[in-house]
Amino acid sequence: MYNTITMKESHDSTRQPVSHKLWGGRFDKPPDALMAQFNDSIGFDRRLYDADVRGSMTYAKALARAGLISTEERDRLVAGLIRVREEFAAGTFAIQRGDEDIHTAVERRLYELTGPVAGKLHTGRSRNDQVATDVRLYLLEQVDRLGEQVTALQRALLMQAEVHPGLLMPGYTHLQHAQPILYAHWLLSYFWKLQRDRERLGDVRCRVSVCPLGAGALAGNALGIDREFLARELGFDAISENSLDAVADRDFILEFLSGGAILGTHLSSLAEDVILYASTEFGFLEIDDAYATGSSLMPQKKNPDSLELARGKCGRLIGNLVSLLVTVKGLPSAYDKDLQEDKEPLFDTIDTLSLTLPVLAGVVATLRPRPAQMAAALDDAMLATDLADYLVRRGVPFRESHAIVGRLVRRAEIEAVPLGKLPVSAFQSESPYFDADVVDVFDARRSVAARDVPGGTAPSAIRTQIERAWQHIGGTMNAE
Ligand code: ARG
C-alpha cells in the first residue's frame, strides 16, 4: 500500500493520523499526476459538501441504529461532520492533494478531526450510493429554488400585464402582421409557458426524491442498514427499488436538464420578442438602461445584451442535456466513472438558469411599452379576418368571404389605400352583403373586444386570464 497510514495502523490510537485514503491497499504506487488530475472531481463537486455532510450524518445514525458503531462514536462523527461543514461554509476548508472528490475530502478532514473513528463511517457504503444520494439531495433544493425564480418571472409578467391592461399591439404569425392583440395577451402567453416549466420541475422533483443510500457499490448493504430510516431522515419520499439501478440511474438529471432546456427555449423566445420589439424599426418597447449596454465605438448604441445573453445561453442548456444523454448512452451496468461527467452539465444548467431567470424578471419588470408606436404599426389589413367575419355573420360561407376579402385586400394594395378607405361601392362590387356600416369593422379595439372566448385577447378574457394566473402563483390581482 502506497499511502502513509493503513487502516490497520489507524487502529493504533497513539499514532497521530497524517493521511486517510479511501482506497489504495492493492496498489503499488499512487496514480500518475496527470491521471490524478484527470480523475479528480473536487474542482467541480465541492458544492455538494452540504449534501455530503447531511448524508454522512444520517448514515452515522443508521450505523448506530444497526449496532455497528456506538452512540458515542456516532456523536463524535456527527460533531466532526458539523465542523467540516462549518469549514466549507466559512471558506476555510483546505483542499489537499489526494482529495479526489467531495466525498474523499470530507472523510479525510473528518479523520483529521476525529481520528480513527472516521474510518467507520463508510461501513457498507460506497461512493456509488453516496454520490447518487448527494446529487439528489442537492438537486431537490435547487429544483425548489429555481421554481421560485420561475415564479418571480411569472409575477413580473403578470404585473406588467396589469399595468397596461388595454394596450393594443400588432400580433404576428410568420413575423407578418396578423391580427391586433393586447400587449397583456402577449405578456401572458409567456406566463403560461413558464407555468408548464414550473410544473415540469415539480414532476422532476418526484423522481429526484428517491433515496439510493444503502445500495452500496451495486449489490446492496450486508450490514442491516435501515434504508427506510435513511430516506425518511434525509427527507426523501421513497427508497430506490433496485441497488444496481440505484447507483447508475441518472434519469432524474436528464429529466431536469430536459426541463431546463425547454425552459431555456421559452426564455430565449421571450428574449427574442423583446429584442425585436425594442429595435428601432419596431420601437414598441424600451428596455431599461439597467439591462442594456453601450458600444465602445458608436456613442448612440444601446444594446439589449441582457436579452441576447438569455437567448444565447439556451444553447448551453440544450447542450448540457445532449451531453449527458450521450454520456449515459450504452453504459454497461452499474456504476462507471463516465457518470462523474453528469455533474458539470447539471451544475451549469442550474447556474445558467439561476442567473438568467432573475435578469429576465428585471428586464420585464422595467419594460416601458410605447403605445403610440404600437398603434402606428396597426393597419387595416390586420382586420381582414374581421371583415370576413362581417360577411359570415350575414350568412356568407367563410371560404367565400375569405376570397372576397382577399380580392379587396389586393385592390387596396394596388390603389395604395388602407383597406378601410376603399369606398363602400368597392366593397359592394365584391359582395351585395356589404352595407355602409362596413367602415365600423376597421377598429382594432373592436376587433380585440370581439375575441372574448376563454383564452382570447379581449379585455374581459384577459381579466379572467390574469385572475387564473394569480391563482397559479399564489397571489391576487393588484395585490403585489
Ligand atoms: N466522484 C465520483 C462521481 O462523481 C464519485 C463516485 C466514485 N465512485 C467510484 N466507484 N469511483 O461519480
Side-chain angles (χ1 to χ4, degrees), residues 79-84 87 106 108-115:
L81 286 162
I82 290 172
R83 284 264 318 265
V84 174
E87 290 182 5
V106 168
R108 188 263 306 156
R109 184 65 186 135
L110 184 65
Y111 196 74
E112 289 167 1
L113 292 168
T114 64

Side-chain angles (χ1 to χ4, degrees), residues 237-270:
D237 292 323
I239 60 170
S240 52
E241 300 285 350
N242 177 304
S243 60
L244 210 55
D245 176 40
V247 293
D249 167 22
R250 296 294 183 273
D251 303 7
F252 68 100
I253 303 182
L254 289 171
E255 281 188 62
F256 171 75
L257 294 178
S258 167
I262 296 170
L263 169 56
T265 65
H266 293 153
L267 302 181
S268 181
S269 283
L270 171 61

Side-chain angles (χ1 to χ4, degrees), residues 230-347:
L230 286 170
R232 210 168 44 243
E233 281 281 297
L234 288 168
F236 285 107
D237 292 323
I239 60 170
S240 52
E241 300 285 350
N242 177 304
S243 60
L244 210 55
D245 176 40
V247 293
D249 167 22
R250 296 294 183 273
D251 303 7
F252 68 100
I253 303 182
L254 289 171
E255 281 188 62
F256 171 75
L257 294 178
S258 167
I262 296 170
L263 169 56
T265 65
H266 293 153
L267 302 181
S268 181
S269 283
L270 171 61
E272 168 60 16
D273 270 358
V274 176
I275 290 168
L276 194 67
Y277 295 161
S279 66
T280 312
E281 283 66 24
F282 279 75
F284 297 170
L285 296 174
E286 197 181 332
I287 298 164
D288 195 83
D289 281 2
Y291 296 99
T293 65
S295 156
S296 58
L297 191 144
M298 299 166 282
Q300 86 285 9
K301 288 300 288 292
K302 175 175 166 184
N303 297 326
D305 293 32
S306 52
L307 296 146
E308 290 168 347
L309 283 166
R311 188 177 58 190
K313 283 183 188 298
C314 186
R316 59 201 290 166
L317 295 174
I318 294 169
N320 289 336
L321 169 63
V322 175
S323 162
L324 188 59
L325 277 171
V326 177
T327 296
V328 299
K329 181 213 166 284
L331 282 188
S333 60
Y335 179 86
D336 306 283
K337 199 57 169 271
D338 314 47
L339 293 175
Q340 182 165 283
E341 292 295 312
D342 61 354
K343 283 168 206 61
E344 286 163 293
L346 172 64
F347 297 159

Side-chain angles (χ1 to χ4, degrees), residues 21-34:
K21 295 284 287 184
L22 292 192
W23 53 269
R26 57 110 63 232
F27 286 77
D28 287 334
K29 53 180 171 182
D32 172 81
L34 270 183

